[in-house]
Amino acid sequence: MTTLKVGILGMQGDIEEHEKAVMQACNKIGIGYTIIRVKKGESLKDIDCIIIPGGESTVIGGLVLKSGIFPELKKRINEGLPVFGTCAGLILLAKKVKDKVLGNICQQTLGVLDAEVERNHFGRQRESFETLLKITLIGEEPFRAIFIRSPVITSVWNNTEVIATLENKIVFVRENNILAASFHPELTGDTRIHEFFLKLCY
Ligand code: GLN
């Protein structure tokens, strides 16, 4: 049986929720797994894929920079390491970032995804919401998506494909080995998106 070594960037954010979702998804699709919380550069050589959780992208980005793993992580992703970013994770993958209120900000990101995102598009914490999304890639049944201070994707270019939209706003994309969502599939108990990602990894 294949054992997939799943890295989860372990700086800040909903790390445990992703761990749970990975466990459930691997059990469902019947693959063996090891979960590695990535905090240091050494862990990068042990993983087959990596998840960048939701949280606060400026905090996660700052800790990634401090840890010194930024260049190596970027290199591995550019070489084809499968990566899945949710919410703050999406922001950290994007090549261009602006903020709904502040406009153009010089936020340092990994800059691997051909997309521009607008942070905090839907407003503050209290404007968080749930909605049903049609995501044909994972099946006909709508996906209950949770948006918490979420960004939207304002434009994509090159190979980035749009997977899901919400009222004409792009909220889920894929570019080759990179999968990124504005919302939080790790919070719903519906593991179809994690299953889809993990199947890309082995
Ligand atoms: N608004 C947050 C940011 O800009 C992202 C929120 C989230 O990950 N739930 O980083």
Side-chain angles (χ1 to χ4, degrees):
M1 185 157 111
T2 331
T3 299
L4 197 65
K5 288 176 256 136
V6 184
I8 299 183
L9 192 66
M11 303 292 177
Q12 186 264 345
D14 55 356
I15 301 159
E16 278 172 27
E17 288 79 0
H18 269 292
E19 284 180 354
K20 228 182 255 169
V22 167
M23 286 178 206
Q24 287 169 353
C26 284
N27 289 337
K28 261 201 193 144
I29 53 185
I31 52 167
Y33 61 88
T34 319
I35 294 175
I36 297 154
R37 282 196 189 192
V38 176
K39 286 189 178 179
K40 289 192 182 136
E42 302 95 82
S43 319
L44 288 175
K45 51 183 180 335
D46 296 330
I47 55 174
D48 299 315
C49 57
I50 189 162
I51 292 176
I52 306 183
E56 175 52 49
S57 60
T58 51
V59 174
I60 302 175
L63 292 169
V64 171
L65 273 175
K66 218 166 145 195
S67 71
I69 68 173
F70 222 87
E72 186 57 24
L73 180 56
K74 181 171 172 143
K75 184 166 165 266
R76 290 276 329 259
I77 297 171
N78 281 333
E79 285 168 358
L81 179 76
V83 55
F84 177 29
T86 60
C87 206
L90 154 68
I91 296 167
L92 287 165
L93 291 168
K95 283 196 177 162
K96 287 189 182 171
V97 181
K98 59 187 177 188
D99 183 271
K100 171 94 172 168
V101 180
L102 304 172
N104 283 330
I105 44 170
C106 298
Q107 182 170 351
Q108 188 158 6
T109 67
L110 286 161
V112 288
L113 173 68
D114 286 323
E116 178 185 67
V117 298
E118 182 178 81
R119 290 180 62 199
N120 303 312
H121 176 84
F122 298 102
R124 296 169 160 262
Q125 190 79 14
R126 62 173 178 270
E127 274 102 42
S128 299
F129 62 97
E130 287 184 28
T131 189
L132 289 175
L133 283 185
K134 192 171 171 229
I135 310 177
T136 33
L137 199 68
I138 56 157
E140 278 309 302
E141 196 193 319
F143 189 89
R144 190 165 66 86
I146 301 178
F147 288 79
I148 305 169
R149 294 184 298 116
S150 291
V152 288
I153 297 150
T154 42
S155 68
V156 295
W157 55 94
N158 292 339
N159 286 334
T160 307
E161 303 159 54
V162 175
I163 299 177
T165 55
L166 170 63
E167 291 159 3
N168 292 325
K169 292 164 184 168
I170 306 169
V171 293
F172 194 12
V173 293
R174 175 180 178 183
E175 183 185 8
N176 308 318
N177 55 316
I178 305 171
L179 198 63
S182 306
F183 51 96
H184 290 273
E186 69 283 9
L187 299 181
T188 52
D190 183 341
T191 57
R192 285 180 293 161
I193 292 178
H194 283 79
E195 288 169 45
F196 176 80
F197 172 64
L198 295 164
K199 283 183 192 160
L200 297 177
C201 307
Y202 69 94

